[in-house]
Amino acid sequence: MTNEETGTLEKEIKKFELDIEGMDCPSCAMKIERRLNKLEGIHSAKVDLGSETASFAVLEGGPELSIIKDEIDKLGYKAIEQHVDEEDSAAEEEKLKARSAFRKKIYTSIFLSVIIVILGMKDHLEFLSFISMDAANWISLPLSTVVVFWCGAKFMKGFLADIRARSAGMDSLIAIGTLSAYFYSIVILIFPEISGEHHHTVYFESAAMIITFILLGNYLEFNLKNRTHYAIKALTELQAKRAVVLRNGSELEIPVRKVKVGDIVLVKPGERIPVDGVITEGISSIDESMMTGESLPLDKKTGDKVLGGTLNQNSYLKIKTEKAVSDSLLSKIILMVKDAQRSKPKIQRIADRVSEIFVPIVIVISIVTFFVWFSYIGETLSFSLLKAVAVLIIACPCALGLATPIAIVLGVGKAAEHKILFNNAEAIENVNRIDTILFDKTGTLTYGKFDVKKIIAYGQHTENEVLKIAASIENFSEHPIAKAITAEYRSNNVDMLQVSDFRMTSGIGVTGTIGGKSYMIGGANMKQAAKLAVSDRSSSQNIYLYENDILIGEIELSDRVKDNAADIISKLKHESYNIAMITGDSGVTAGEIAGELGITEYKAQVLPDKKQEYVSELQKKGARVAMIGDGINDAPALSKSDLGIAIGTGQDIAIQSADVILVKGDLENILALFKISRKTITVIKQNIFWAFFYNAAAIPVAAGVFVGIGISVTPVMASMIMALSDVVTVLLNSMRLKYLKIR
């Protein structure tokens, strides 16, 4: 592939995504991410703890996917390739096998740990009186070995990977703590005099129970995290898995991903439409509620466009595929939600950096704890060791690592429920910094569906001639005004005039040549650009038609303010947002709409580049601006603003330029957007606070600071507390977002 600007050869980039099994903390994700980014041929790699995925781009000639998976496996994790249809069931089977193996390890760990604990309590159990304590300890050794090195293999592999990578994470803390108790017990079992204690206590049950409790915590965490991805699952279920296509005169059922652009797809009543396309045969009602939020089915006929994922209700349809499944609106929505859920806001990057240095600090605290108790205070070796182990286990930063990603996943999911899409997680943060909201007018505050109100002809021309010329030229444009004019003409006429040299200037108007004569069509901005002065005849939207720079006609159009626009503006003002409106329309029209909505600050007759400049002016005054628009002319302002919000019913370029997309196009969703974002950030801050508070409180307790007043924590207790900490402090708190009431 050649760069057109530089003429240099560029390598093609392919994007992949893998599910990752076995990640427990931020350091796990960062460890994998660093490893992947070091591989030659990897353009970029991101690993997300919350969704347990790795997404990366591979340059042409880069490593095969199998090599990448092996590299991840070497670090102690399981990489599983993702697929899109039911024929590729190997990946799902692999996932099920991995989870089945995980459950087996949990069951084995519980079973053996219970036996070890019972053996450790034999002096209090008469039915075990025939077994000596030494014999019980020797029996516990192989049982605990299975628990530590087979059931807890992922922690040991992670620890070895940490050593090779010269880093430290949760696996290191668990492994060091568990192995300390395990090998100490072996040494005491062989050389009991070393302990300096009368009973020569071993701690095989501690090593086993630490692994057991942490595995149980991981399992509980996995189940809860799995529930957080409900939004993606709901969207994915909208995708048809198979499609019936017409090829060579025969009907062929194939996986939907194999449908090609141009294929004729057959859809029966009650079936989901598998692709974005155009109806070539049939009339039916289409339920688009799952995509757009519109509750009423829409009647569709030949020539009308339909969306993949919507429901064909009552008639047989033939549909010509216009987009590959991967390029469909539904696929793009799913991709946007996934990307937003995986992306990291600034607050998460701070937490990641803290987590990265936190583990080494904990190890140092553990070592200091041991030496203070053993060397300074003079406690026994076993007591000192247990306190050091308790510090290691209780301080694992799982909760801190999950504080942000889980809340982001749930917040983005809740927004997707309401047809609100985030391009990235930073947008959620940015929403909460906004103090000024700048609205485009047409299509945003108004319906953008114009009706021809009146036609005025000048000179020798008739009203029908004015309309015919205007419609013939506007037929080449997709602008809402153009559609209104062509629709008005076609309601009673079929024929169009031959047009050449058609040109469109965004924010100005259109030009074309008919029969050797040059025509210009536009509003107030066209008059200014052409330096043609004609006063407005009314406050409605006026379009002027010029023939060789002479005014020959005027078309009056009307556009209606959205039903709930005034109420939404009032509520936003009540929440202390500064509201302004910007439009390319005339000052009279803009003033009329602004007055109806209660907006005191507005700018009219503004060209697209000037909209961007106006945003810059507001920002220079200290305003943090959210721009809301839907058209091509809004794209520069959407990109320039602190937060670009696109109305999803608008044009692609506007949507691509925005940080947030309101798919439904309902202004009510602006209030939902602000509420969801505020609540998500609040939950994240709460999660981070409780995660830090937990560690700040737990470490001194584990270290034995409060032993003098009877408060002490054993390694087993520490493992139980640690295993539940992320569930209680993060997951359950974050789950509140799933049940958040918007209205």
Side-chain angles (χ1 to χ4, degrees):
M1 184 173 65
T2 304
N3 188 307
E4 294 181 359
E5 293 182 3
T6 63
T8 58
L9 190 67
E10 293 184 344
K11 291 185 177 180
E12 189 176 341
I13 296 176
K14 292 184 178 180
K15 294 183 177 180
F16 297 94
E17 188 170 298
L18 294 171
D19 290 324
I20 308 294
E21 298 267 356
M23 292 194 296
D24 301 303
C25 66
S27 60
C28 297
M30 286 185 283
K31 187 194 317 179
I32 299 171
E33 194 171 288
R34 281 196 294 264
R35 181 61 186 142
L36 292 181
N37 282 314
K38 285 181 180 178
L39 292 177
E40 189 174 348
I42 296 288
H43 182 262
S44 62
K46 292 181 180 178
V47 180
D48 180 59
L49 176 63
S51 61
E52 296 182 315
T53 57
S55 54
F56 48 92
V58 182
L59 296 171
E60 187 180 353
E64 296 290 330
L65 199 58
S66 58
I67 295 173
I68 296 171
K69 290 170 66 177
D70 287 343
E71 290 294 329
I72 295 172
D73 291 349
K74 286 177 186 177
L75 295 175
Y77 309 96
K78 184 69 175 176
I80 300 172
E81 190 175 352
Q82 296 183 343
H83 294 285
V84 294
D85 62 62
E86 80 282 357
E87 287 195 349
D88 297 307
S89 58
E92 191 60 33
E93 288 180 11
E94 195 175 352
K95 284 184 184 180
L96 292 172
K97 285 180 181 178
R99 287 162 192 172
S100 176
F102 182 52
R103 283 194 294 269
K104 285 179 183 177
K105 288 187 176 184
I106 292 176
Y107 299 149
T108 303
S109 184
I110 294 171
F111 178 70
L112 296 181
S113 295
V114 169
I115 294 174
I116 296 168
V117 170
I118 291 173
L119 289 171
M121 298 171 60
K122 68 160 293 296
D123 289 343
H124 305 283
L125 301 170
E126 287 189 16
F127 70 91
L128 292 177
S129 59
F130 66 94
I131 301 177
S132 68
M133 182 54 74
D134 279 347
N137 290 338
W138 280 104
I139 294 170
S140 297
L141 172 58
L143 300 181
S144 64
T145 301
V146 174
V147 175
V148 171
F149 293 102
W150 186 69
C151 301
K154 73 183 205 112
F155 306 121
M156 305 306 149
K157 287 180 181 177
F159 178 42
L160 292 174
D162 283 345
I163 294 173
R164 288 195 293 268
R166 297 180 181 180
S167 64
M170 174 181 161
D171 291 340
S172 296
L173 296 182
I174 295 170
I176 293 171
T178 305
L179 294 175
S180 297
Y182 174 80
F183 284 114
Y184 171 82
S185 299
I186 292 177
V187 171
I188 296 301
L189 195 59
I190 300 172
F191 308 104
E193 65 276 5
I194 293 177
S195 70
E197 298 177 330
H198 179 68
H199 293 291
H200 314 306
T201 306
V202 297
Y203 297 101
F204 291 120
E205 81 281 358
S206 294
M209 291 303 295
I210 287 170
I211 296 294
T212 299
F213 277 126
I214 294 173
L215 286 175
L216 282 170
N218 287 168
Y219 187 68
L220 180 59
E221 178 188 305
F222 169 78
N223 286 331
L224 280 172
K225 282 194 322 188
N226 201 41
R227 290 170 61 188
T228 66
H229 297 280
Y230 65 95
I232 291 292
K233 292 175 184 175
L235 288 169
T236 303
E237 286 172 1
L238 295 179
Q239 290 184 307
K241 299 296 187 294
R242 303 184 70 80
V244 177
V245 298
L246 195 62
R247 290 181 180 174
N248 300 320
S250 301
E251 295 183 10
L252 182 65
E253 187 177 348
I254 60 174
V256 70
R257 65 185 178 89
K258 294 183 179 180
V259 177
K260 301 175 182 177
V261 175
D263 274 341
I264 300 297
V265 178
L266 311 179
V267 186
K268 297 176 182 177
E271 291 183 341
R272 289 206 181 277
I273 296 172
V275 296
D276 289 5
V278 176
I279 297 174
T280 60
E281 186 179 315
I283 300 173
S284 185
S285 294
I286 308 297
D287 182 359
E288 295 186 344
S289 59
M290 62 291 292
M291 289 287 293
T292 66
E294 298 294 339
S295 57
L296 295 175
L298 299 176
D299 292 331
K300 300 274 186 172
K301 62 184 185 303
T302 300
D304 288 342
K305 293 187 177 185
V306 291
L307 298 173
T310 57
L311 192 64
N312 177 27
Q313 290 197 325
N314 50 23
S315 292
Y316 184 85
L317 294 176
K318 289 184 179 180
I319 299 168
K320 185 179 181 180
T321 305
E322 285 195 323
K323 294 179 180 178
V325 173
S326 58
D327 295 325
S328 69
L329 177 61
L330 180 57
S331 295
K332 288 180 178 179
I333 289 173
I334 292 172
L335 184 61
M336 284 184 67
V337 175
K338 282 185 175 180
D339 287 345
Q341 291 183 336
R342 286 196 295 259
S343 62
K344 295 181 181 181
K346 291 178 181 177
I347 194 170
Q348 172 64 21
R349 290 195 283 270
I350 295 171
D352 285 350
R353 284 196 290 270
V354 171
S355 296
E356 199 168 11
I357 63 171
F358 184 74
V359 172
I361 291 172
V362 170
I363 293 173
V364 171
I365 293 173
S366 175
I367 294 170
V368 170
T369 298
F370 175 81
F371 281 106
V372 167
W373 280 110
F374 186 68
S375 300
Y376 184 73
I377 298 177
E379 277 289 350
T380 63
L381 177 64
S382 64
F383 181 92
S384 305
L385 181 64
L386 288 178
K387 291 302 171 192
V389 170
V391 169
L392 288 171
I393 300 301
I394 208 167
C396 288
C398 308
L400 186 60
L402 292 171
T404 300
I406 293 298
I408 290 293
V409 166
L410 286 163
V412 170
K414 174 57 67 172
E417 275 186 43
H418 293 271
K419 316 303 176 188
I420 301 168
L421 305 180
F422 290 97
N423 264 327
N424 53 70
E426 283 193 16
I428 297 177
E429 282 185 302
N430 292 337
V431 170
N432 293 272
R433 300 190 180 104
I434 296 302
D435 55 32
T436 301
I437 303 175
L438 181 62
F439 286 91
D440 167 56
K441 179 183 75 68
T442 305
T444 303
L445 293 172
T446 68
Y447 285 101
K449 296 178 180 179
F450 295 89
D451 295 315
V452 175
K453 190 176 178 181
K454 187 177 182 181
I455 301 171
I456 304 164
Y458 297 109
Q460 302 299 313
H461 293 276
T462 65
E463 292 178 9
N464 192 59
E465 286 175 339
V466 169
L467 182 60
K468 186 174 185 177
I469 293 169
S472 298
I473 298 172
E474 294 282 20
N475 191 42
F476 292 87
S477 173
E478 290 294 314
H479 194 280
I481 289 176
K483 289 181 178 181
I485 293 172
T486 51
E488 177 70 15
Y489 178 74
R490 280 180 168 160
S491 62
N492 296 308
N493 304 275
V494 178
D495 61 313
M496 291 279 188
L497 298 171
Q498 192 72 31
V499 179
S500 60
D501 300 326
F502 172 83
R503 288 186 181 181
M504 183 180 72
T505 305
S506 182
I508 301 290
V510 297
T511 61
T513 302
I514 300 175
K517 296 178 180 179
S518 172
Y519 292 92
M520 296 187 300
I521 308 172
N525 292 329
M526 170 72 81
K527 292 189 300 176
Q528 289 183 348
K531 298 180 180 179
L532 299 169
V534 176
S535 60
D536 288 335
R537 296 176 60 87
S538 75
S539 61
S540 47
Q541 176 71 55
N542 287 35
I543 298 298
Y544 304 96
L545 173 63
Y546 297 90
E547 183 183 273
N548 297 332
D549 294 342
I550 298 173
L551 181 69
I552 65 169
E554 186 174 343
I555 301 173
E556 293 185 6
L557 299 153
S558 61
D559 186 16
R560 188 163 57 89
V561 171
K562 289 183 177 179
D563 293 337
N564 60 349
D567 183 51
I568 300 301
I569 296 295
S570 176
K571 288 177 179 177
L572 290 171
K573 289 168 76 174
H574 182 72
E575 293 183 11
S576 300
Y577 291 105
N578 300 316
I579 307 297
M581 185 184 78
I582 192 165
T583 179
D585 289 347
S586 68
V588 176
T589 302
E592 185 179 77
I593 298 296
E596 187 176 344
L597 297 174
I599 299 173
T600 55
E601 185 177 346
Y602 65 91
K603 275 207 166 190
Q605 296 180 248
V606 182
L607 297 177
D609 59 329
K610 298 299 180 183
K611 285 188 178 183
Q612 187 181 19
E613 287 180 13
Y614 184 60
V615 172
S616 296
E617 287 175 18
L618 292 173
Q619 290 171 330
K620 286 176 183 177
K621 293 176 183 177
R624 287 163 293 187
V625 183
M627 170 70 191
I628 305 178
D630 73 323
I632 293 174
N633 60 333
D634 299 317
L638 288 168
S639 298
K640 180 63 179 176
S641 62
D642 299 284
L643 181 75
I645 304 173
I647 302 296
T649 52
Q651 297 170 340
D652 285 348
I653 190 169
I655 293 171
Q656 292 167 8
S657 303
D659 302 298
V660 183
I661 297 94
L662 307 182
V663 176
K664 190 177 177 181
D666 188 349
L667 291 178
E668 188 82 25
N669 276 349
I670 296 172
L671 299 176
L673 164 66
F674 282 98
K675 184 172 182 177
I676 292 169
S677 298
R678 279 197 299 267
K679 192 65 179 179
T680 301
I681 295 300
T682 298
V683 167
I684 289 172
K685 289 178 178 178
Q686 290 171 345
N687 288 347
I688 291 175
F689 169 79
W690 285 114
F692 274 118
F693 178 82
Y694 160 79
N695 280 299
I699 291 175
V701 173
V705 173
F706 304 104
V707 167
I709 58 174
I711 300 175
S712 182
V713 174
T714 66
V716 174
M717 292 171 61
S719 65
M720 184 171 59
I721 294 169
M722 190 281 290
L724 294 175
S725 65
D726 53 335
V727 174
V728 175
T729 61
V730 171
L731 289 170
L732 292 182
N733 185 51
S734 299
M735 287 298 290
R736 295 188 298 131
L737 289 168
K738 183 177 179 178
Y739 304 103
L740 177 66
K741 300 294 183 184
I742 302 302
R743 298 181 177 89

